[in-house]
Amino acid sequence: MRTQVAIIGAGPAGLLLAWLLRRQGIAAVVLERRSREYCERRVRAGVLEQGTVDTLAEAGVGARLKAEGQVHHGIELRFGGAGHRIAFEELVPGRGITVYGQQEIVKDLIKANLEAGVDLRFEIDDVAIGDMADHPHLTFGGERLDCDFIAGCDGFHGVSRPAIPPGAIRVFEKTYPFAWLGILANVRPSTRELIYSASERGFALHSMRSDEVSRFYLQVPPQTRPEDWAEDEIWAELKARHETVPDFELNTQGEITSVDVAAMRSFVAEPMRHGRLLLAGDAAHIVPPTGAKGLNLAVADIRVLARSLTDYYRHGREDLLDRYSEICLRRVWRAQHFSWWMTSLLHTSDHATLYDRRLQRADLDYVVSSRAQATTLAENYVGLPFSADE
Ligand code: FAD
Ligand code: DHB
């Protein structure tokens, strides 16, 4: 079997790449380990930068996102007994975020790809990279798929990155002494905008998916399993961490439909290309979720990759492909810094000294009292504009 681009992984990165290539008449096959149902149900990110929304709209897969996504023009930072709004409309006029679940994007992209006849194969659990140099190919289920390029879009735990010889890649990594418990509940949100609460008990985030569905996160110890938390304990902890300002009551009347644990890690693999293998999204880099950057970075990588491959097939040019890693890594490292900073700003740590805590409080006070620092947060949060080569 032969195709032009063999894509491993049907997350947002792999699916968007397949779709953008299809629109340029470039053939791709997508191999995904999980079932379609599993991919469509997996609850993850929810905050989309303007550039991500624009990318999906320009690609013709933004209709439901436009109809159902909620546009937000601010977030609240809550600490020290008070709430402070970071007002995007004042700080970064004309730019905001859209709240729309990652699994809805995945559903939209799977549907678009299948309707356009793209070869998406689910439940393929034995993909191996046969060669990523002169004769690139994958093997799976006793078959061989020859191709011109392999796109490694298989997330942090995939097979693509580990297939690169250790000497050919450098890894930069940081782990954090906590994780996030993610909770999805059929509960009317108690707020119109997201609330990032820094409390003595740990960080908590109040987000949402619609007028009837709330998404919450709680900072928890790193080894936590979802079953460690009973429903009433979750609600009590969310109340304790969010009900820290006068007149705020958390709405808890409804059913919890999903509880998951997300590890917190910062990770970058450089370069993002080895021979004919190109890594994109979580396969190449991970950020802690506090700045909501993971999914947005995956989309930014794919913009560059789709354009580079289009240039190759249309004009026989490889210069963009040669610069793929360098172009992506500029945005990746900016997001690495922002995500690390937001994480340090808002979480508690057993390792923190009293001195560290005072520094953290000074940092928080500065964000909400200095227009310059609030603008730094706002412009990174809504997403920096794409450069000419992105
Ligand atoms: P993924 O979405 O991970 O997709 C990779 C795909 O490859 C998956 O479908 C996987 O099944 C498949 N795959 C893996 N291995 C193989 C294999 N060997 N063969 C074939 N297929 C394979 N970001 C935020 O901004 N906010 C959040 O709240 C947030 N929460 C998260 C919670 C969790 C538990 C995780 C893991 C991530 C979270 N993220 C969050 C990050 C965000 O979801 C990711 O950055 C985003 O999913 C990246 O998309 P991707 O397509 O690169 O990778
Ligand atoms: C969501 C996730 C995030 O990581 C974040 O910073 C804000 C919101 C969410 O899933 O809604």
Side-chain angles (χ1 to χ4, degrees), residues 44-47 99 180 194 196 205 207-209 215 217 288-293 381:
R44 286 189 177 175
V47 171
V99 174
W180 275 16
L194 274 68
Y196 287 78
L205 173 58
S207 181
M208 63 285 293
R209 289 293 178 266
R215 175 80 167 146
Y217 296 96
T290 324
K293 287 288 159 250
Y381 194 87

Side-chain angles (χ1 to χ4, degrees), residues 50-180:
Q50 190 62 52
T52 298
V53 173
D54 294 345
T55 302
L56 295 169
E58 282 158 21
V61 280
R64 200 161 69 89
L65 160 60
K66 190 164 190 299
E68 296 176 21
Q70 294 182 351
V71 178
H72 289 208
H73 296 286
I75 56 170
E76 180 183 328
L77 297 184
R78 189 173 285 189
F79 62 93
H84 307 265
R85 182 161 187 266
I86 304 293
F88 302 153
E89 72 271 22
E90 276 172 34
L91 299 165
V92 283
R95 293 159 65 198
I97 52 145
T98 300
V99 174
Y100 187 68
Q102 175 168 327
Q103 77 269 36
E104 303 306 322
I105 296 182
V106 166
K107 279 183 208 162
D108 296 343
L109 284 168
I110 289 177
K111 184 162 177 278
N113 273 304
L114 288 177
E115 282 175 4
V118 176
D119 192 350
L120 301 187
R121 303 191 188 190
F122 293 94
E123 299 178 70
I124 307 287
D125 63 3
D126 61 348
V127 176
I129 296 182
D131 182 22
M132 55 185 117
D134 298 338
H135 304 285
H137 67 272
L138 304 178
T139 58
F140 63 96
E143 290 193 61
R144 173 176 164 138
L145 175 61
D146 286 285
C147 54
D148 303 325
F149 295 98
I150 300 164
C153 302
D154 47 353
F156 186 67
H157 300 288
V159 293
S160 303
R161 194 185 61 255
I164 300 175
I169 199 163
R170 270 188 90 184
V171 161
F172 303 83
E173 191 167 17
K174 182 175 172 62
T175 53
Y176 300 83
F178 35 78
W180 275 16

Side-chain angles (χ1 to χ4, degrees), residues 367-386:
V367 178
V368 300
S369 59
S370 154
R371 188 182 170 94
Q373 187 72 336
T375 305
T376 293
L377 194 159
E379 74 172 355
N380 280 279
Y381 194 87
V382 302
L384 295 165
F386 293 122

Side-chain angles (χ1 to χ4, degrees), residues 42-330:
R42 190 163 39 193
V43 182
R44 286 189 177 175
V47 171
L48 309 185
E49 298 175 359
Q50 190 62 52
T52 298
V53 173
D54 294 345
T55 302
L56 295 169
E58 282 158 21
V61 280
R64 200 161 69 89
L65 160 60
K66 190 164 190 299
E68 296 176 21
Q70 294 182 351
V71 178
H72 289 208
H73 296 286
I75 56 170
E76 180 183 328
L77 297 184
R78 189 173 285 189
F79 62 93
H84 307 265
R85 182 161 187 266
I86 304 293
F88 302 153
E89 72 271 22
E90 276 172 34
L91 299 165
V92 283
R95 293 159 65 198
I97 52 145
T98 300
V99 174
Y100 187 68
Q102 175 168 327
Q103 77 269 36
E104 303 306 322
I105 296 182
V106 166
K107 279 183 208 162
D108 296 343
L109 284 168
I110 289 177
K111 184 162 177 278
N113 273 304
L114 288 177
E115 282 175 4
V118 176
D119 192 350
L120 301 187
R121 303 191 188 190
F122 293 94
E123 299 178 70
I124 307 287
D125 63 3
D126 61 348
V127 176
I129 296 182
D131 182 22
M132 55 185 117
D134 298 338
H135 304 285
H137 67 272
L138 304 178
T139 58
F140 63 96
E143 290 193 61
R144 173 176 164 138
L145 175 61
D146 286 285
C147 54
D148 303 325
F149 295 98
I150 300 164
C153 302
D154 47 353
F156 186 67
H157 300 288
V159 293
S160 303
R161 194 185 61 255
I164 300 175
I169 199 163
R170 270 188 90 184
V171 161
F172 303 83
E173 191 167 17
K174 182 175 172 62
T175 53
Y176 300 83
F178 35 78
W180 275 16
L181 190 73
I183 300 117
L184 194 69
N186 291 331
V187 160
R188 185 172 43 79
S190 311
T191 172
R192 285 188 40 246
E193 295 180 341
L194 274 68
I195 305 172
Y196 287 78
S197 288
S199 87
E200 296 283 313
R201 305 176 66 94
F203 171 70
L205 173 58
H206 187 339
S207 181
M208 63 285 293
R209 289 293 178 266
S210 69
D211 291 341
E212 292 86 37
V213 177
S214 297
R215 175 80 167 146
F216 301 102
Y217 296 96
L218 285 171
Q219 176 188 345
V220 291
Q223 306 310 332
T224 302
R225 295 163 308 163
E227 57 271 25
D228 295 341
W229 283 74
E231 288 213 3
D232 52 348
E233 289 174 326
I234 290 175
W235 288 122
E237 197 58 32
L238 284 169
K239 279 170 96 62
R241 295 190 194 181
H242 283 303
E243 291 181 350
T244 55
V245 295
D247 302 325
F248 180 84
E249 195 181 333
L250 192 75
N251 184 8
T252 62
Q253 299 309 304
E255 180 203 2
I256 292 179
T257 53
S258 149
V259 180
D260 54 271
V261 174
M264 301 283 269
R265 185 185 278 116
S266 297
F267 177 94
V268 182
E270 292 188 2
M272 290 167 58
R273 172 179 179 182
H274 183 70
R276 296 264 157 166
L277 169 66
L278 298 128
L279 302 177
D282 278 15
H285 42 73
I286 294 279
V287 286
T290 324
K293 287 288 159 250
L295 170 60
N296 294 292
L297 279 181
V299 169
D301 287 352
I302 295 304
R303 280 176 70 96
V304 181
L305 185 51
R307 200 199 281 184
S308 306
L309 290 168
T310 302
D311 232 32
Y312 173 85
Y313 284 109
R314 280 266 179 84
H315 310 294
R317 287 175 47 179
E318 295 204 38
D319 48 322
L320 260 187
L321 268 175
D322 289 341
R323 290 178 50 232
Y324 166 69
S325 180
E326 170 206 324
I327 295 171
C328 293
L329 285 169
R330 287 199 308 257

